[in-house]
Amino acid sequence: MRGFLAAVMCLCLCLVLFLCPLYSCALPPPCDREIYCYGDILRQVQTAKLFDDDKHFVDMKLKSAPDIILTAFHNLTHGDLNSVPPAVLRDFLHKYFDEPGKEFAPWSPPDWHDKPQFLAGIADAELRSWAEKLHHLWKSLGRKISSDALAHPEQYSQIFTPHPFVVPGGRFRELYYWDSYWVINGLLLSEMTDTARGMILNFIHLINRYGFIPNGARVYYERRSQPPFLSLMVESYYQTTNDTDFLRTALPALEQEYLFWMRNRSVAVEVKGNKHVLNRFDVQVGLPRPESYSDDLELAEGLTEGKQRLWKELHSGAESGWDFSSRWFVDGLGNNNGSLKDTRTSLLIPTDLNALLCRNERTLAHFYRTLGNESEAARYDKAVSARQEAIEAVLWDEKRGVWLDYSLVTNTSHPAFYPTNLAPVWADCYSQPSMGQKALHYLQTSGGLAFPNGVPTSLVDSGQQWDYPNAWPPLQHILIQGLSSLPSQEARELGFDLAQRWIRTNWLAYIKYEAMFEKVIKKRFIMCLGFGWTNGVALQLLSQYGDRLTSGSFTSCLSISVSVALLCSAQTLFL
């Protein structure tokens, strides 16, 4: 009987998901909320392209209960699934939807204050003045969810979290997961410990609700996560406050998140007769991403089969944070070639994800030991040892002297350059000191250091944003921190040189446009207020190297070919 009921429920879901006659019950939609995650309203609005950004529609508030709006749309179309004219759709949206932003109430961080202590450690007057302006940006990026969004969650795509938070900026108007690691580190430097604590508590709230942390605080993200940085957020907070009570409060959620990744995102790999367990990004969703619906639908055009698989892999790529990159391309022969349509994220074991989990395991061991629980600490010590052994058996390439992503298709490494190839250095997840030195040599000969504005995400110009020539703040920071952790003076000086390049590049952009941006690119940038993790990385580097970093003369800086981009506005500017 139980099996029969399950089959009926699956059949009902398939009847609702009428986008493609090839849909099966194999994979669920991004969430169970019709309008925001599947159904005819979503399809009609997004394919009509009423907005420049598909995310706009799925961030809109419902003016009435969902069933009322669904009934009204059915009456509008008389059950006919053919396209509704754009003018009719616009009138329908005006009647039944509010613009994005209704989910927030006015809020300014009460723990913000002038002149945090770290500013005094920045020797260069221009950079110190800039850091003070970055510190001011936290006030403009603060958000608090409205009481109406709490009272009527069915009318919002926003997932309620109980504490105010800092957003990335621009179109990213909600709480995001891995961005928040660098945001929180910046907030702690700004002595905004209450705001940082509240953001961590929000993530604990999400774990208690979902068993993991969604990509962001929207219902259309609730079946995918992002790189699991919460343990490191708690570590940063604890190092700043020495609050063992908070550590004790956070640990059950950290444990639960770790179990999620080990139970739902792990895979066994056999190398030389030995089995090793490592992790990957692998989201089980079989429909287009609602926030990029028309793009995903168009990408799948012409596929007679495999649409579900493509959409699953796009969700998995989004879970990685690298959406998108040639890093995830796997062609029909299993090689690291192709185009966005060849995205196969779940078929790769990423170096950075496994380095991060190794660092998480070590951090959890330290937390348990701090709280006097030696048996649990020893359990995570064993996890670190097993992870390190697996990383060295599967991901370490002795010939190249670095760690490389591993293909589950060909059972071989992908030799392409990414800054994250050195993530195990940042995570201190390697057994032989010589590995760090070999990785340094690899970086020096990779071609990745030949750019004045930052290390590019790859050396492949695929047209994807997580590829050449784009340089992203978190990757710069992970690389710089890794280099600064090596005993070699040569490595540390290279870390400082990369920090100097990155700071001067971002300072120049701020001087010219009085704004911070999501990433650095080559030719142009699109103006947008922000940007959370860029601010956090800049403040961390200014704090770490403040006694040495220089702004240089403005004239000399103008010779740097730099531009920055965030897709959130139609205003294109040039340097």
Side-chain angles (χ1 to χ4, degrees):
M1 182 66 180
R2 189 173 296 173
F4 173 75
L5 290 175
V8 170
M9 289 175 66
C10 187
L11 177 61
C12 290
L13 180 60
C14 289
L15 290 173
V16 173
L17 306 180
F18 53 81
L19 256 173
C20 173
L22 296 178
Y23 286 151
S24 70
C25 299
L27 296 175
C31 76
D32 295 330
R33 297 270 299 277
E34 191 174 356
I35 298 177
Y36 287 125
C37 287
Y38 65 90
D40 199 40
I41 295 178
L42 179 68
R43 179 180 68 85
Q44 296 263 15
V45 171
Q46 300 293 45
T47 56
K49 298 190 176 182
L50 302 181
F51 308 104
D52 293 335
D53 181 358
D54 284 357
K55 190 174 184 297
H56 185 100
F57 170 65
V58 291
D59 288 356
M60 296 176 79
K61 173 190 178 291
L62 312 185
K63 291 182 178 180
S64 304
D67 58 339
I68 292 174
I69 294 176
L70 288 167
T71 300
F73 195 77
H74 179 79
N75 293 337
L76 179 72
T77 61
H78 305 291
D80 183 358
L81 301 185
N82 293 322
S83 295
V84 178
V88 176
L89 282 176
R90 287 192 183 93
D91 289 342
F92 181 83
L93 292 183
H94 180 74
K95 182 175 181 180
Y96 289 103
F97 291 80
D98 277 324
E99 290 296 301
K102 297 290 185 180
E103 61 271 43
F104 300 119
W107 180 76
S108 183
D111 55 347
W112 187 95
H113 65 89
D114 280 318
K115 308 295 183 184
Q117 188 175 355
F118 84 93
L119 292 173
I122 303 172
D124 186 289
E126 294 280 359
L127 294 182
R128 186 168 59 253
S129 174
W130 176 48
E132 191 169 351
K133 292 171 183 175
L134 298 186
H135 170 62
H136 275 76
L137 285 177
W138 297 132
K139 293 194 289 185
S140 65
L141 295 171
R143 301 289 185 273
K144 178 182 179 180
I145 296 179
S146 70
S147 57
D148 187 69
L150 173 62
H152 303 285
E154 74 282 356
Q155 293 179 236
Y156 295 84
S157 65
Q158 176 74 49
I159 298 171
F160 176 78
T161 50
H163 301 278
F165 49 89
V166 170
V167 300
R171 70 192 286 265
F172 304 108
R173 55 180 69 89
E174 53 281 310
L175 180 69
Y176 277 83
Y177 185 10
W178 79 313
D179 298 60
S180 295
Y181 172 63
W182 288 275
V183 169
I184 284 171
N185 284 340
L187 291 172
L188 292 172
L189 280 172
S190 291
E191 299 168 13
M192 298 170 64
T193 52
D194 290 345
T195 301
R197 185 178 189 273
M199 290 180 68
I200 294 171
L201 289 173
N202 283 339
F203 289 126
I204 292 173
H205 172 84
L206 292 171
I207 289 174
N208 290 337
R209 176 173 176 178
Y210 293 102
F212 70 99
I213 298 173
N215 181 148
R218 293 282 178 184
V219 294
Y220 50 78
Y221 290 145
E222 68 181 20
R223 287 199 168 112
R224 70 181 196 240
S225 188
Q226 275 190 330
F229 272 90
L230 182 59
S231 292
L232 303 193
M233 297 180 204
V234 174
E235 179 184 48
S236 295
Y237 182 83
Y238 177 70
Q239 288 171 346
T240 301
T241 65
N242 202 32
D243 186 345
T244 53
D245 289 337
F246 186 76
L247 199 61
R248 190 173 286 105
T249 297
L251 255 179
L254 302 183
E255 178 86 27
Q256 189 173 357
E257 182 187 41
Y258 177 73
L259 290 175
F260 167 82
W261 282 88
M262 296 310 297
R263 290 171 178 169
N264 299 283
R265 300 291 190 268
S266 64
V267 61
V269 182
E270 186 170 333
V271 175
K272 296 180 180 179
N274 296 315
K275 285 189 177 180
H276 303 278
V277 175
L278 288 165
N279 292 79
R280 59 178 172 168
F281 301 105
D282 186 21
V283 180
Q284 301 299 312
V285 168
L287 286 175
R289 293 168 297 147
E291 79 281 8
S292 301
Y293 189 95
S294 62
D295 291 337
D296 289 3
L297 203 63
E298 289 168 9
L299 188 65
E301 284 181 1
L303 292 179
T304 55
E305 57 184 27
K307 290 186 178 184
Q308 259 203 4
R309 182 179 71 171
L310 173 59
W311 292 328
K312 168 191 180 301
E313 297 296 350
L314 293 175
H315 281 274
S316 300
E319 181 172 76
S320 77
W322 288 46
D323 44 342
F324 290 97
S325 172
S326 64
R327 181 183 183 187
W328 311 128
F329 296 172
V330 178
D331 65 19
L333 300 176
N335 298 319
N336 184 205
N337 293 310
S339 65
L340 186 59
K341 195 173 286 190
D342 298 297
T343 297
R344 299 291 183 270
T345 314
S346 70
L347 301 182
L348 296 167
I349 297 178
T351 54
D352 46 349
L353 174 61
N354 285 281
L356 173 58
L357 283 164
C358 183
R359 185 164 169 179
N360 281 349
E361 289 158 345
R362 181 176 285 108
T363 301
L364 288 169
H366 171 66
F367 287 168
Y368 276 116
R369 195 160 278 121
T370 299
L371 296 175
N373 191 333
E374 186 57 38
S375 62
E376 286 301 297
R379 181 166 67 90
Y380 278 100
D381 287 340
K382 290 180 181 178
V384 172
S385 297
R387 174 86 54 183
Q388 188 168 283
E389 181 181 340
I391 285 175
E392 293 182 5
V394 180
L395 305 180
W396 174 255
D397 187 301
E398 179 63 29
K399 181 179 178 181
R400 293 180 175 86
V402 78
W403 300 267
L404 299 170
D405 295 344
Y406 184 85
S407 169
L408 295 170
V409 179
T410 62
N411 295 316
T412 58
S413 298
H414 280 182
F417 167 80
Y418 309 105
T420 47
N421 289 351
L422 279 79
V425 175
W426 165 79
D428 191 24
C429 193
Y430 56 99
S431 62
Q432 302 299 320
S434 61
M435 290 178 166
Q437 193 61 33
K438 289 176 180 178
L440 171 63
H441 177 72
Y442 164 83
L443 178 62
Q444 290 169 327
T445 59
S446 66
L449 300 179
F451 307 92
N453 306 323
V455 179
T457 308
S458 79
L459 300 179
V460 176
D461 191 358
S462 70
Q464 299 304 318
Q465 63 171 349
W466 286 82
D467 267 317
Y468 176 87
N470 298 352
W472 290 81
L475 304 190
Q476 309 303 308
H477 190 252
I478 286 172
L479 187 59
I480 291 166
Q481 292 304 107
L483 291 169
S484 71
S485 73
L486 290 173
S488 158
Q489 186 64 24
E490 181 182 21
R492 294 178 180 182
E493 283 302 311
L494 177 56
F496 169 73
D497 177 63
L498 294 178
Q500 177 68 79
R501 296 187 206 182
W502 187 252
I503 287 297
R504 191 169 292 178
T505 295
N506 283 270
W507 175 75
L508 169 62
Y510 191 90
I511 289 296
K512 196 170 182 66
Y513 298 109
E514 296 188 1
M516 295 292 282
F517 305 91
E518 183 185 28
K519 62 182 176 290
V520 172
I521 68 170
K522 191 173 183 181
K523 296 178 182 176
R524 65 185 178 126
F525 70 83
I526 301 173
M527 191 69 164
C528 182
L529 177 66
F531 196 87
W533 66 9
T534 312
N535 304 351
V537 167
L539 292 179
Q540 285 179 266
L541 295 178
L542 287 165
S543 175
Q544 181 177 355
Y545 297 109
D547 59 332
R548 300 177 62 193
L549 291 169
T550 63
S551 57
S553 69
F554 187 70
T555 302
S556 66
C557 281
L558 284 176
S559 65
I560 299 175
S561 173
V562 55
S563 55
V564 202
L566 176 58
L567 298 177
C568 59
S569 166
Q571 183 182 6
T572 301
L573 304 170
F574 297 88
L575 280 172

